[in-house]
């Protein structure tokens, strides 16, 4: 009896630790003319749990109307386990993604409310967004610079409305009046507790209605028994 109680106590403590665990997601994106680089790092427990996705190449294929994405995945605190792959995304993949989102909207009652409630518990901080833009014409560059400021202000406004914005964003826009250039660097950190994510997942299952949808993208297509090879 003593061992049963001890086991229950240990499992309860472990469950509480998992529920209150904070997950940090670091996003680092760089766009320089025709070069794009995206790095996403997920960390928990001070780096003991670590998962990093590094996408050094995002470009349009010269031979077909597709986007080529090269991806490197590293896991573990020392990033020992590695996986590299290259995929091509075409218009069919994008349409399938829209289809899957529509399926979720149809089958989950109050999906927007569930997402909003979860995002209210998400903290976003350390936003750094720097841009250099120019089209080779001073007047047009000035207009574009103003438009970029409006876009950035709108994006930050949306983020602060749905999530907790803890730090004042650091943003700059440098106009290049003499040369055509497009360079953007964006970094931020997103935090949330595992318990809040689990609660959102439980709500998604609880408010599911109707039959099972026909997903078309991986890995959701596996849930529908679909063996298509779309991204």
């Amino acid at each position: 009896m003593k061992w049963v109680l001890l086991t229950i106590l240990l499992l309860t403590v472990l469950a509480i630790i998992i529920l209150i665990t904070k997950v940090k997601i670091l996003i680092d994106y760089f766009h320089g003319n025709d070069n794009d680089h995206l790095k996403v790092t997920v960390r928990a427990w001070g780096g003991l749990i670590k998962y990093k996705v590094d996408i050094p190449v995002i470009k349009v294929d010269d031979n077909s109307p597709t986007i080529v994405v090269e991806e490197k995945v590293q896991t573990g605190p020392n990033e020992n386990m590695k996986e590299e792959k290259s995929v091509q995304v075409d218009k069919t993949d994008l349409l399938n993604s829209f289809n899957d989102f529509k399926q979720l909207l149809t089958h989950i009652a109050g999906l927007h409310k569930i997402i909003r409630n979860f995002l209210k518990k998400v903290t976003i901080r350390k936003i750094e967004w720097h841009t250099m833009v120019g089209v080779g014409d001073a007047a047009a560059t000035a207009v574009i610079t103003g438009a970029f400021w409006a876009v950035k202000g709108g994006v930050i406004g949306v983020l602060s409305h749905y999530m907790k914005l803890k730090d004042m964003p650091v943003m700059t826009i440098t106009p290049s009046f003499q040369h055509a250039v497009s360079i953007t660097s964006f970094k931020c950190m997103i935090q949330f507790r595992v318990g809040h994510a689990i609660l959102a997942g439980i709500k998604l299952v609880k408010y599911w209605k109707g039959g099972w949808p026909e997903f078309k993208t991986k890995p959701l297509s596996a849930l529908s028994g679909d063996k298509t090879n779309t991204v």
Side-chain angles (χ1 to χ4, degrees):
M1 188 64 180
K2 184 195 306 183
W3 288 107
V4 174
L5 293 176
L6 182 59
T7 302
I8 295 175
L9 178 61
L10 290 176
L11 291 176
T12 302
V13 172
L14 180 60
I16 293 175
I17 292 175
I18 293 175
L19 291 176
I20 65 175
T21 294
K22 279 188 177 182
V23 175
K24 295 181 180 180
I25 301 177
L26 290 84
I27 299 175
D28 187 347
Y29 172 74
F30 174 81
H31 166 78
N33 296 324
D34 295 329
N35 179 38
D36 291 86
H37 188 174
L38 174 65
K39 181 168 64 176
V40 179
T41 305
V42 182
R43 295 188 307 187
W45 292 355
L48 291 177
I49 299 177
K50 191 173 184 179
Y51 180 87
K52 183 168 74 173
V53 178
D54 193 1
I55 304 178
V57 176
I58 307 174
K59 66 178 182 180
V60 178
D61 190 2
D62 296 330
N63 301 318
S64 62
T66 61
I67 298 175
V68 179
V69 179
E70 294 183 5
E71 181 179 307
K72 298 179 181 178
V73 179
Q74 298 173 308
T75 59
N78 297 321
E79 301 178 5
N80 295 325
M81 298 178 61
K82 299 181 180 179
E83 178 185 356
E84 297 185 14
K85 62 181 179 180
S86 178
V87 297
Q88 287 185 307
V89 182
D90 58 17
K91 64 178 182 180
T92 302
D93 298 313
L94 295 176
L95 291 175
N96 287 341
S97 298
F98 288 128
N99 171 80
D100 288 358
F101 184 69
K102 182 180 179 180
Q103 291 287 334
L104 291 174
L105 286 176
T106 302
H107 287 82
I108 300 178
L111 177 62
H112 294 94
K113 185 177 180 180
I114 295 173
I115 294 176
R116 284 200 305 268
N117 289 338
F118 171 68
L119 291 179
K120 287 179 181 178
K121 300 176 178 65
V122 175
T123 299
I124 183 168
R125 58 195 316 166
K126 297 183 179 179
I127 295 179
E128 293 186 19
W129 195 355
H130 304 289
T131 302
M132 176 179 287
V133 61
V135 293
D137 178 84
T141 298
V143 173
I144 293 176
T145 300
F148 268 64
W149 274 118
V151 170
K152 287 191 176 186
V155 171
I156 297 301
V158 171
L159 292 178
S160 62
H161 177 72
Y162 287 101
M163 294 183 280
K164 299 176 182 177
L165 187 60
K166 289 294 185 181
D167 304 317
M168 181 66 67
V170 178
M171 299 190 298
T172 62
I173 297 181
T174 304
S176 177
F177 296 107
Q178 304 298 328
H179 306 283
V181 62
S182 174
I183 300 175
T184 293
S185 173
F186 179 84
K187 298 178 182 180
C188 74
M189 182 175 69
I190 300 173
Q191 291 180 315
F192 60 88
R193 295 190 185 277
V194 174
H196 294 149
I198 293 176
L199 179 60
I202 293 174
K203 288 181 178 179
L204 292 177
V205 176
K206 179 180 178 182
Y207 293 104
W208 189 276
K209 61 179 181 179
W212 198 249
E214 290 295 328
F215 292 125
K216 295 184 178 181
T217 60
K218 285 186 176 180
L220 294 178
S221 60
L223 299 176
S224 302
D226 189 358
K227 304 302 181 182
T228 57
N229 295 321
T230 54
V231 175

